[in-house]
Amino acid sequence: MSAARDRLMDGLYGVGWGAVKKLPEPVASALGRKIADTAWKRRGQGVLRLESNLARVVPDAGPERLAELSRAGMRSYMRYWMESFRLPSWSADKVRDNVDIKGAHHLTDGLAAGRGVIVALPHLANWDLAGVWVTRTLGIPFTTVAERLKPESLYDRFVAYRESLGMEVLPHAGGAAFGTLARRLRSGGLICLVADRDLSSSGVEVDYFGEPTRMPAGPALLAQHTGALLLPVTLWYGEEPVLHGEIHPPLEIPAEGTRAERTSAMTQALADVYAQGVAEHPEDWHMLQRLWLADLEPRAGEDRT
């Protein structure tokens, strides 16, 4: 990415955080839908990739149904951004009244028992809003990680934004981040990880909608290293501005097998819960990048992101 494009991207996000949160909520919502519909009509790379991904999730959908889903998906994706730009101005009461999460006892009971808790979730609906519900409604601080973005100033914006919402944010830096997360868990803390896409060589291969992909090993490894509970979470949107979700029962650490075999089994169990959530709410799945291994074969002149 060129320096000029870096500055442009940083400037655009700066305008979003500075201006969108000042708009009346109906105006911001309408603006988000308009931007989403415009992007959808242009049929750019992200929209085409979203449709390709949705074809795996809804295999019996024809072209018209996939187009409807991708349009709804882009609207959901822009709803996420519009809400995220505005979240710092949301009151604690607004967060409480507009988030409905089932199964919260799995989280609170685990922490009350002195165990660390790992929440792992896919790219569904608004994970930032769910995080604010945890910090403001439940009153529970947590730690997460953020991938380093380019330009660096944009990454700094994201970190500052999430920290303003009550989250401790660590850079995604391999062993250093893992060690800090493990310490938080051993002290009885909570960590939250978006964990449905890992295209690195360290990712665990799983079956996802009948095809192989890779997902991060971190959640399963942390649970094994620390004895923390591993809780899958799925989210979906209802009528604006309500966000719905479910904290699923903890995944068991297999009693037998090597560490690699236990990690593989636990990561597959996570993938199965994610798949159920995505299948039930495909329009809220924000996967505009390549995901399945079959899509990662190099093609001349094509972006593999």
Side-chain angles (χ1 to χ4, degrees):
M1 184 182 290
S2 68
R5 188 179 175 191
D6 283 355
R7 290 193 296 272
L8 175 60
M9 291 294 294
D10 185 48
L12 288 173
Y13 280 102
V15 169
W17 266 294
V20 172
K21 66 182 179 182
K22 298 177 182 177
L23 296 174
E25 192 159 298
V27 175
S29 297
L31 176 61
R33 289 192 296 271
K34 183 175 181 60
I35 294 172
D37 289 348
T38 299
W40 178 78
K41 289 176 183 176
R42 289 178 177 172
R43 311 289 294 163
Q45 181 176 314
V47 173
L48 296 177
R49 176 51 50 193
L50 177 60
E51 284 189 11
S52 176
N53 290 338
L54 287 167
R56 262 96 163 203
V57 172
V58 192
D60 59 345
E64 184 175 340
R65 174 59 175 153
L66 285 175
E68 290 174 353
L69 281 173
S70 68
R71 182 180 186 183
M74 292 303 295
R75 285 189 168 193
S76 176
Y77 184 52
M78 285 310 304
R79 177 174 168 179
Y80 161 79
W81 280 110
M82 289 295 166
E83 285 179 350
S84 295
F85 288 143
R86 297 169 62 81
L87 267 182
S89 65
W90 280 34
S91 67
D93 287 346
K94 183 176 177 65
V95 173
R96 182 197 63 225
D97 294 343
N98 291 294
V99 178
D100 177 24
I101 305 290
K102 301 175 183 178
H105 66 280
H106 294 302
L107 170 58
T108 55
D109 290 352
L111 293 174
R115 297 184 67 175
V117 173
I118 306 158
V119 162
L121 62 165
H123 285 80
L124 273 170
N126 194 335
W127 46 94
D128 283 331
L129 177 52
V132 174
W133 176 82
V134 169
T135 60
R136 295 186 183 173
T137 302
L138 299 184
I140 301 170
F142 67 86
T143 302
T144 188
V145 298
E147 182 180 357
R148 285 203 172 273
L149 303 171
K150 296 294 184 180
E152 191 74 17
S153 56
L154 181 56
Y155 169 78
D156 292 340
R157 284 186 188 274
F158 272 98
V159 170
Y161 155 68
R162 290 194 166 106
E163 289 180 341
S164 76
L165 301 176
M167 310 173 192
E168 179 190 22
V169 183
L170 306 176
H172 190 279
F178 187 93
T180 302
L181 294 173
R183 287 193 294 275
R184 299 291 183 271
L185 292 169
R186 290 193 181 101
S187 65
L190 170 66
I191 68 169
C192 299
L193 303 170
V194 179
D196 61 341
R197 183 175 185 262
D198 186 343
L199 306 181
S200 71
S201 59
S202 63
V204 176
E205 188 168 315
V206 297
D207 179 273
Y208 202 50
F209 292 98
E211 291 191 48
T213 187
R214 286 192 292 269
M215 293 188 179
L221 285 173
L222 284 164
Q224 293 174 70
H225 273 281
T226 67
L229 294 178
L230 176 52
L231 304 178
V233 172
T234 51
L235 304 170
W236 64 95
Y237 276 133
E239 292 298 320
E240 292 193 37
V242 178
L243 173 73
H244 297 277
E246 181 173 359
I247 301 175
H248 298 266
L251 300 181
E252 296 294 331
I253 299 175
E256 300 180 352
T258 65
R259 177 174 293 175
E261 289 169 342
R262 294 195 300 268
T263 300
S264 178
M266 295 178 74
T267 306
Q268 182 64 61
L270 272 179
D272 292 343
V273 177
Y274 296 165
Q276 178 183 347
V278 171
E280 291 174 353
H281 304 282
E283 69 281 358
D284 289 324
W285 187 44
H286 304 160
M287 188 56 67
L288 280 68
Q289 302 85 22
R290 299 185 185 280
L291 179 64
W292 282 275
L293 301 187
D295 291 334
L296 297 174
E297 296 299 324
R299 298 172 187 172
E302 193 169 38
D303 184 359
R304 293 180 51 165
T305 59

